[in-house]
Amino acid sequence: MFLTVENLIENYNIYPTDKYKKDNDGTYHAFEIDEYRISYRVKNNQIKILRIRHTSRKISKY
């Protein structure tokens, strides 16, 4: 999982926009790996990991 997160530095737009983010302006993305859902935001040349959540948990819009 950590290598995938490290790869965001070079390929941050390979994952789709986050479908659970309300009013997503296109800067919020998410992907699932190893039973975890990772949400992140790309803005002003920064990548911020916002949430790491196990997929067995109920996903709520935020």
Side-chain angles (χ1 to χ4, degrees):
M1 173 173 51
F2 295 110
L3 290 176
T4 303
V5 173
E6 272 187 27
N7 287 335
L8 289 177
I9 295 168
E10 298 294 327
N11 301 310
Y12 57 87
N13 279 326
I14 62 172
Y15 297 108
T17 57
D18 189 348
K19 63 184 176 183
Y20 296 108
K21 174 68 176 128
K22 295 178 186 175
D23 301 321
N24 189 347
D25 60 1
T27 61
Y28 295 89
H29 298 265
F31 64 96
E32 292 182 11
I33 187 166
D34 297 333
E35 298 181 355
Y36 288 93
R37 185 171 193 280
I38 300 172
S39 301
Y40 65 98
R41 185 176 191 193
V42 179
K43 187 174 180 183
N44 299 329
N45 294 323
Q46 292 183 345
I47 301 169
K48 292 185 180 182
I49 304 297
L50 303 174
R51 181 181 288 179
I52 299 174
R53 185 176 207 140
H54 196 273
T55 56
S56 66
R57 307 259 338 234
K58 182 181 175 187
I59 296 174
S60 60
K61 293 186 184 260
Y62 62 98

